[in-house]
Amino acid sequence: MENRTCCNHQLPEGYVPEHHKEANAAYDHFLITSETLSLDKACNLVRSDSAGAISTFEGTTRNTFNGQRVIRLEYDAYQPLAKTEWYKIVQEARAKYHILGTSMHHRIGRVDVGQTSVIIAVSSAHRADAISAVHFLIDSLKVRLPIWKKELLDDGTNSWKQNESIDLDAHQPISH
């Protein structure tokens, strides 16, 4: 039997590592909810004995923006399209990085100052892939997902924020 390598490990012929499979709900978790988010839950969904790293991003509501006091954020989403687009993004991440599992949890509705609005967790055999994949995934989410944020300020004004303009081509694959 011929062996080949992946992520610096010997693999038997015919074996396809989990991180080379298509994005799917068994390894890639997607949640949009009005409930409080849990970093532990997101991490546990991507935990694997094959993983040497779990990298995370936790976005929280800060109390100021451009010198103005923020009271809270309110999020809305078109969930069916967000889920479809998320799996496309995950597939792109899988093509760039050797990842085992992903988890994206996003709040909708009211998110007060200090509360978590988004969590991304990625597991991989090595830290460089996990860290780079998290960066790619949060940037892609900000650009491509139909999730909208309204900022409510202490002066009584509010505004819906547009999706960010980010150069996603700047994210390069990692060579092993």
Side-chain angles (χ1 to χ4, degrees):
M1 182 184 329
E2 177 185 318
N3 284 334
R4 55 197 174 96
T5 61
C6 176
C7 304
N8 300 321
H9 303 288
Q10 292 293 318
L11 302 174
E13 183 178 4
Y15 176 76
V16 178
E18 290 178 9
H19 62 270
H20 287 289
K21 295 180 182 178
E22 297 289 315
N24 68 68
Y27 305 111
D28 302 302
H29 306 275
F30 173 89
L31 174 69
I32 293 180
T33 181
S34 60
E35 302 297 319
T36 300
L37 301 180
S38 165
L39 185 61
D40 285 342
K41 286 181 184 177
C43 288
N44 286 336
L45 288 169
V46 302
R47 197 167 302 283
S48 165
D49 289 344
S50 300
I54 295 176
S55 186
T56 64
F57 172 83
E58 184 174 5
T60 60
T61 302
R62 64 179 174 265
N63 63 0
T64 60
F65 181 75
N66 286 340
Q68 293 186 286
R69 188 164 170 258
V70 174
I71 301 299
R72 69 176 180 274
L73 302 177
E74 293 178 1
Y75 286 92
D76 199 2
Y78 181 54
Q79 294 186 46
L81 182 57
K83 185 173 187 175
T84 299
E85 190 63 22
W86 178 252
Y87 283 118
K88 289 178 187 175
I89 292 167
V90 169
Q91 192 59 44
E92 291 170 25
R94 287 183 173 283
K96 290 177 177 284
Y97 312 108
H98 294 208
I99 56 180
L100 297 168
T102 66
S103 183
M104 190 287 289
H105 295 179
H106 206 297
R107 287 274 301 270
I108 55 172
R110 180 182 177 136
V111 183
D112 291 325
V113 170
Q115 292 183 333
T116 300
S117 56
V118 62
I119 294 172
I120 294 184
V122 174
S123 62
S124 65
H126 304 285
R127 69 181 176 275
D129 286 294
I131 292 167
S132 295
V134 165
H135 190 189
F136 173 78
L137 291 170
I138 190 62
D139 281 358
S140 297
L141 177 153
K142 291 285 203 174
V143 171
R144 294 170 49 185
L145 289 194
I147 298 175
W148 305 281
K149 172 173 72 173
K150 182 165 81 171
E151 212 165 48
L152 291 93
L153 306 174
D154 71 343
D155 65 3
T157 62
N158 65 70
S159 63
W160 287 97
K161 299 298 186 178
Q162 293 188 357
N163 286 356
E164 293 185 31
S165 176
I166 299 170
D167 180 11
L168 297 176
D169 292 331
H171 294 277
Q172 296 300 312
I174 293 178
S175 59
H176 292 274

